[in-house]
Amino acid sequence: MPRIPLIIDTDPGVDDAVALVLAMQSPEADVRAVTVPFGNVEIEKTFLNARRVLALAGRTDVPVAAGAARSLVHLQDERAPEWHGADGLGMRSADFPAPVAADPRSAVALMCDVLAEATEPVTIATIGPLTNVALLLAVHPELVPRISRIVAMAGSLGAGNTRGRAEFNVSADPEAAHRVLTQPDVPVTLVPLDLTMRCLADATWLDALAASGPRCATLAGVLELYRAAFRERYGVDAVALHDALAVLEAILPGTLRTTSMPIRVACDLGPARGATIPDGRPEAAGPAVHVALDADTDAVLTEILDRVRRLG
């Protein structure tokens, strides 16, 4: 079965860690690079965490490069230590093996090299702020034809999960998100909170992960702070695996059911900053984004667990 050439752009982050392991344990994914922006925590921590997770997965072969340390225009005004811990890994970073080596290239330079060397189009799964991807599209338009599609865990058509209306990844850099979601040259699949908040890994799922071996137990331990925060806010003993849904769709296209519509991002400085606004009119102008709004959530959760448990 052909493997999908894949770049993962991620800001680990607890659910990012699950998504990275998912990709590394999926035979359909030919992960050619991991690139890292700022996001859930500062760039120094997200970069270190990505390398820690790759070490846990035993993947010293995948180059990992640091990218944007801040958003394009206005500084990020909200991080998520109550969900991810001050270290970004649920205060469990000490449980991880020594991180894999850092690639000396910048994130955009590494992306460019992967695209230039590829003999077939490459999928980019972006599961953090979209800054690195926006820079790639803006600075290297000659490489855009080498991108198969972009799958982004970002946005919400309804309520967000920040202090305003926005979803966190978009809120971190609305201008970058607008650049990616409104460009006409690469198909974009958007995986928003509308779907991810309906796909919850419950206590049975989490216990099964923890019981699947020592490395899986480490990954399950990372989820405990997130689980407690989720229980406190939503009254449910579960966690939303936001980023893993986007990575699963990237490696198994069609797993999520999409509706196409133009999307705009509010880039003003008011309370709606970062909101993702759909335009459902038949005459709406602009490129359509494939928004994932439905899936067999039980099957998705089973698929993610089966793959992540291969970590052992």
Side-chain angles (χ1 to χ4, degrees):
M1 184 174 181
R3 300 174 72 202
I4 293 179
L6 184 63
I7 296 170
I8 301 176
D9 191 59
T10 177
D11 63 330
V14 168
D15 55 323
D16 305 73
V18 176
L20 273 175
V21 169
L22 169 65
M24 299 304 159
Q25 299 300 317
S26 294
E28 301 88 349
D30 178 9
V31 183
R32 301 192 179 179
V34 172
T35 55
V36 184
F38 70 98
N40 288 310
V41 287
E42 300 85 352
I43 183 64
E44 295 80 11
K45 294 177 182 177
T46 58
F47 187 38
L48 184 59
N49 290 346
R51 291 157 51 212
R52 283 171 168 147
V53 175
L54 286 183
L56 183 71
R59 293 298 300 271
T60 59
D61 58 308
V62 178
V64 192
R70 54 154 291 174
S71 45
L72 293 177
V73 182
H74 300 284
L75 289 175
Q76 179 187 21
D77 64 359
E78 185 174 349
R79 290 203 168 97
E82 69 274 25
W83 297 94
H84 300 275
D87 66 350
L89 289 177
M91 301 307 291
R92 303 293 288 269
S93 56
D95 297 343
F96 281 74
V100 303
D103 193 286
R105 290 168 286 186
S106 71
V108 172
L110 176 55
M111 286 179 172
C112 287
D113 287 346
V114 169
L115 293 173
E117 294 166 6
T119 58
E120 55 188 314
V122 177
T123 297
I124 298 176
T126 177
I127 54 177
L130 284 85
T131 315
N132 287 339
V133 179
L135 289 169
L136 172 70
L137 295 174
V139 178
H140 294 282
E142 76 282 3
L143 293 174
V144 167
R146 294 178 175 268
I147 304 171
S148 171
R149 67 170 178 153
I150 296 167
V151 182
M153 191 280 117
S156 172
L157 305 191
N161 60 354
T162 63
R163 287 190 291 265
R165 274 202 56 194
E167 178 274 332
F168 181 86
N169 288 340
V170 177
S171 173
D173 195 341
E175 285 78 14
H178 187 76
R179 176 68 176 80
V180 174
L181 297 178
T182 60
Q183 54 78 33
D185 300 314
V186 182
V188 177
T189 297
L190 188 71
V191 183
L193 295 179
D194 309 73
L195 178 57
T196 65
M197 287 297 291
R198 290 170 31 222
C199 194
L200 304 182
D202 62 14
T204 300
W205 193 101
L206 295 166
D207 290 346
L209 175 63
S212 297
R215 291 190 292 175
C216 284
T218 296
L219 189 62
V222 166
L223 290 164
E224 284 304 310
L225 177 68
Y226 182 42
R227 181 180 182 179
F230 200 94
R231 185 167 53 240
E232 181 177 351
R233 174 171 292 188
Y234 298 108
V236 178
D237 185 19
V239 298
L241 300 175
H242 304 290
D243 295 335
L245 270 71
V247 168
L248 187 65
E249 169 61 28
I251 60 181
L252 294 178
T255 296
L256 310 181
R257 295 189 283 273
T258 63
T259 301
S260 296
M261 63 188 79
I263 297 286
R264 299 290 182 269
V265 179
C267 293
D268 61 87
L269 298 180
R273 176 170 171 77
T276 42
I277 311 298
D279 189 342
R281 300 173 300 162
E283 71 275 18
V289 174
H290 306 287
V291 184
L293 294 175
D294 197 15
D296 182 339
T297 55
D298 289 339
V300 165
L301 287 166
T302 298
E303 192 71 40
I304 293 171
L305 180 61
D306 286 348
R307 290 163 180 266
V308 172
R309 290 173 75 180
R310 297 171 188 168
L311 183 66

